[in-house]
Amino acid sequence: MTPPQRQRRDIVPEPPAPKGGEDKPGNPERMYVVAGPDGERAELDLVTLIVARATDPPPSASPEQAALLRLCAAPLSVAELSAYLHLPFSAMGVLLTELLTAELVQARAPIVRKARSDRSLLEAVMNGLQRL
């Protein structure tokens, strides 16, 4: 039995030089669109909470989007997602905008808690407990 032989590659000729004396190449094709078709991004803050609507990522989702959807089973802030995925906030904004337009995630405002409870309410509860 003889081992398989490597096949030689054909020599590929260089593309012809542009006609008309132009030495500049044309605009390169963009590999990725940074914003949506209308150029707008979602209004996101570092404390905006993100919750996944779908349990499983769709097959067309990129690896970053799939990881983001898995993390968002419970509400997480944009800052937490950025830290977990090791991505800057600008990249998270692009990913989340795509997922928001596809309605795979939901963004909501953070829960704001008061710094201190109302003293009169605490006194009323304490008085009610003492009467028991």
Side-chain angles (χ1 to χ4, degrees):
M1 178 180 222
T2 59
Q5 300 291 321
R6 289 188 179 183
Q7 296 179 356
R8 292 186 176 236
R9 296 182 187 175
D10 293 333
I11 298 174
V12 179
E14 291 186 20
K19 295 180 181 178
E22 293 181 20
D23 292 334
K24 297 184 251 175
N27 289 338
E29 184 177 337
R30 290 175 26 179
M31 300 301 278
Y32 192 80
V33 178
V34 177
D38 53 357
E40 293 185 16
R41 289 191 190 177
E43 293 292 326
L44 297 172
D45 196 3
L46 286 173
V47 294
T48 303
L49 295 177
I50 306 295
V51 182
R53 288 184 174 179
T55 55
D56 294 328
S60 62
S62 68
E64 292 85 8
Q65 290 174 340
L68 197 140
L69 286 171
R70 281 189 221 104
L71 282 172
C72 290
L76 287 175
S77 70
V78 176
E80 290 173 316
L81 292 170
S82 178
Y84 287 141
L85 294 177
H86 304 290
L87 292 173
F89 177 71
S90 58
M92 287 303 300
V94 172
L95 285 173
L96 289 172
T97 299
E98 290 176 355
L99 293 174
L100 285 167
T101 55
E103 296 182 353
L104 294 173
V105 296
Q106 178 181 9
R108 62 182 190 196
I111 300 169
V112 179
R113 296 188 176 133
K114 290 184 178 180
R116 301 185 117 202
S117 299
D118 186 21
R119 184 177 176 99
S120 61
L121 175 66
L122 291 175
E123 287 177 356
V125 170
M126 186 178 71
N127 291 336
L129 289 173
Q130 287 175 349
R131 288 184 197 148
L132 293 176

